[in-house]
Amino acid sequence: MSLDAFMDEFLGATTPFNDSPKHKNERWWNDTVHLEVLANRYAEYDKANIAFIGTYYPNRGQGHAKKCFLWLFDLANKHGVTLTGKAAPVGSTGLSKTELKRWYRGLGWTFDRNSNGVWEPKQKELV
């Protein structure tokens, strides 16, 4: 279980958002979801921060972000990585903060009162 292995697999399965060094951590998942995932190397255990996730028209509202999260959850479970992020709407055409937090909670996230979210990997059963 390793944050480095998680990030290597993440980078191998996604493509760069663009060629600008300013956007070096931003990626495309399946050419539909724009995301930025950052390794938190200062945490007491393996954590990756979802700094941004979003879809653009005409792909918006079709479940691509949910599928991307499910993929990220599988990857995080595989490598024992906790995901963190903040429920913060971007623009005025998407979900409100309340709707966004509800949507995230439906995917297993928990939030503090400042909208900082955490998704914990499933513990592997010992045989």
Side-chain angles (χ1 to χ4, degrees), residues 3-119:
L3 182 58
D4 290 330
F6 170 88
M7 291 303 296
D8 287 346
E9 196 166 339
F10 168 77
L11 292 171
T14 57
T15 56
F17 177 67
N18 64 31
D19 293 332
S20 168
K22 183 176 171 182
H23 300 280
K24 68 178 182 169
N25 295 315
E26 296 178 51
R27 311 288 291 180
W28 283 110
W29 177 81
N30 276 0
D31 295 323
T32 57
V33 179
H34 173 196
L35 69 162
E36 183 175 15
V37 177
L38 305 170
N40 181 346
R41 304 206 184 277
Y42 302 102
E44 60 192 67
Y45 50 92
D46 289 340
K47 285 186 180 179
N49 184 60
I50 311 298
F52 177 83
I53 185 165
T55 55
Y56 304 106
Y57 292 107
N59 296 314
R60 215 167 193 182
Q62 297 180 22
H64 296 293
K66 181 178 181 177
K67 289 175 190 169
C68 181
F69 264 128
L70 295 175
W71 172 76
L72 282 170
F73 296 159
D74 284 345
L75 195 60
N77 278 325
K78 178 179 177 181
H79 297 288
V81 171
T82 296
L83 301 177
T84 62
K86 188 165 184 92
V90 177
S92 59
T93 59
L95 299 175
S96 70
K97 183 183 271 192
T98 301
E99 293 168 328
L100 197 56
K101 284 170 71 174
R102 186 179 307 123
W103 184 80
Y104 273 74
R105 281 186 183 112
L107 294 173
W109 289 75
T110 58
F111 289 91
D112 66 15
R113 63 188 182 107
N114 295 317
S115 300
N116 296 308
V118 175
W119 182 90

